[in-house]
Amino acid sequence: MMNTTFDLAAAAARTFQERLGDPPAVAIVLGSGLGDFATTLEGAVGVDYASVPGLPLVGVEGHAGRVVVGGVGGARIAALSGRAHLYEGHEPAAVVTAVRALRLWGVSALVLTNAAGGINSAMRPGDLMLISDHLNLSGYSPLRGPNDDRLGPRFPDMSVAYDAEFRALFRQVAQTRDLTLHEGVYAGLAGPSYETPAEIRMLRTMGADAVGMSTVVEVIAARHCGLRVAGLSCITNLAAGLGQSTLSHDEVKETANLARSAFIGLLSSALPGIAAKVST
Ligand code: HPA
């Protein structure tokens, strides 16, 4: 049968191979306002999502919709600026097609980044948080429906979804670069409205340190197909009810931009480190 989830991802993977060459070991998905990292890659070649058959069209402000391959710290990596979100109306399987395509292309490790609201009182706008674990509160799983055994098992383990070795590496890089790096639990909701203060109190009680509208379904699909995963949140605002101001996407993008140099600095050492771990 054509046009199964697998077929769409396989078609996208073939285009990655044709347009971008052999797969790099590591890929990164860049969240809202964080796309600038892609412009720092050396000798970059890219392809727009729109010209990759199989990938859904993405259409949010602050998301370019492009896959770029280039060099950072001696490693060759793929950077995806822009992602499909549940709130755009995409099916959960469509949200994760790019993740599966990366795996079928031959990528081994995936770093997912996002903009998030800070719930833990230690978090300040502009801070970075390494994701230690998540709460999937989106209401969706990308694995719902018949399992395709070519992608992964019916019941994938999620007990160490965010790779412990990668987390140790991120911590070490942050320490070396004298960057503050929080570590905590990311709650992924479907959005697109920001949370109410009551919802934020609930999330805090549930153990969430930060909240956003992406990443969790991608991590489930990534673990399902055997990718090793790291997650990094840029805390762009205090979550609803915790600060004085109301929330807006403009504020999210502005603050993500302020965190630009810390974000790029951390990744420019962490990604080659991850590449070294998975390439051997
Ligand atoms: N809530 C949900 N998603 C977000 C937030 C938030 O406060 N900030 C950035 N993305």
Side-chain angles (χ1 to χ4, degrees):
M1 195 172 75
M2 257 315 272
N3 286 342
T4 63
T5 293
F6 182 91
D7 295 324
L8 294 171
R14 275 194 300 278
T15 304
F16 291 165
Q17 179 72 35
E18 283 162 20
R19 301 282 298 271
L20 305 170
D22 286 339
V26 182
I28 181 167
V29 175
L30 300 164
S32 289
L34 303 169
D36 267 7
F37 177 75
T39 66
T40 68
L41 297 177
E42 293 150 29
V45 287
V47 56
D48 290 333
Y49 291 171
S51 55
V52 181
L55 290 188
L57 283 180
V58 298
V60 187
E61 272 183 280
H63 294 276
R66 197 170 163 75
V67 187
V68 168
V69 172
V72 54
R76 188 169 158 272
I77 66 136
L80 283 68
S81 322
R83 51 152 61 95
H85 294 89
L86 290 168
Y87 59 71
E88 293 172 79
H90 297 295
E91 290 300 322
V95 172
V96 302
T97 304
V99 169
R100 289 170 165 159
L102 290 170
R103 183 60 174 152
L104 295 175
W105 185 21
V107 166
S108 305
L110 181 62
V111 179
L112 292 149
T113 70
N114 56 54
I119 296 177
N120 186 308
S121 58
M123 313 257 181
R124 291 284 156 254
D127 286 356
L128 298 177
M129 185 190 90
L130 185 62
I131 303 178
S132 58
D133 202 350
H134 75 215
L135 296 166
N136 175 16
L137 300 173
S138 71
Y140 294 95
S141 169
L143 309 183
R144 185 180 149 103
N147 187 60
D148 193 322
D149 296 333
R150 292 170 294 179
L151 289 170
R154 171 75 290 185
F155 300 111
D157 177 54
M158 290 292 286
S159 44
V160 197
Y162 296 83
D163 195 280
E165 207 185 346
F166 294 174
R167 276 190 279 146
L169 188 128
F170 265 98
R171 274 184 231 120
Q172 197 184 351
V173 169
Q175 201 171 25
T176 308
R177 290 182 166 259
D178 207 16
L179 290 170
T180 302
L181 182 63
H182 301 285
E183 190 162 350
V185 173
Y186 174 91
L189 279 64
S193 51
Y194 291 112
E195 302 70 36
T196 63
E199 286 164 348
I200 294 302
R201 290 192 296 274
M202 173 190 75
L203 293 172
R204 174 178 270 167
T205 305
M206 293 169 106
D209 297 295
V211 58
M213 304 175 194
S214 67
T215 305
V216 293
V217 292
E218 290 152 278
V219 170
I220 292 169
R223 294 303 300 141
H224 177 243
C225 67
L227 284 160
R228 290 175 68 182
V229 169
L232 182 64
S233 292
C234 175
I235 305 300
T236 54
N237 55 279
L238 300 181
L242 301 179
Q244 303 307 316
S245 60
T246 56
L247 273 50
S248 75
H249 190 53
D250 285 340
E251 180 197 2
V252 166
K253 284 185 294 181
E254 266 165 44
T255 311
N257 197 43
L258 293 179
R260 189 182 181 279
S261 71
F263 183 78
I264 290 174
L266 183 60
L267 290 173
S268 55
S269 295
L271 293 175
I274 290 175
K277 286 196 188 299
V278 295
S279 306
T280 50

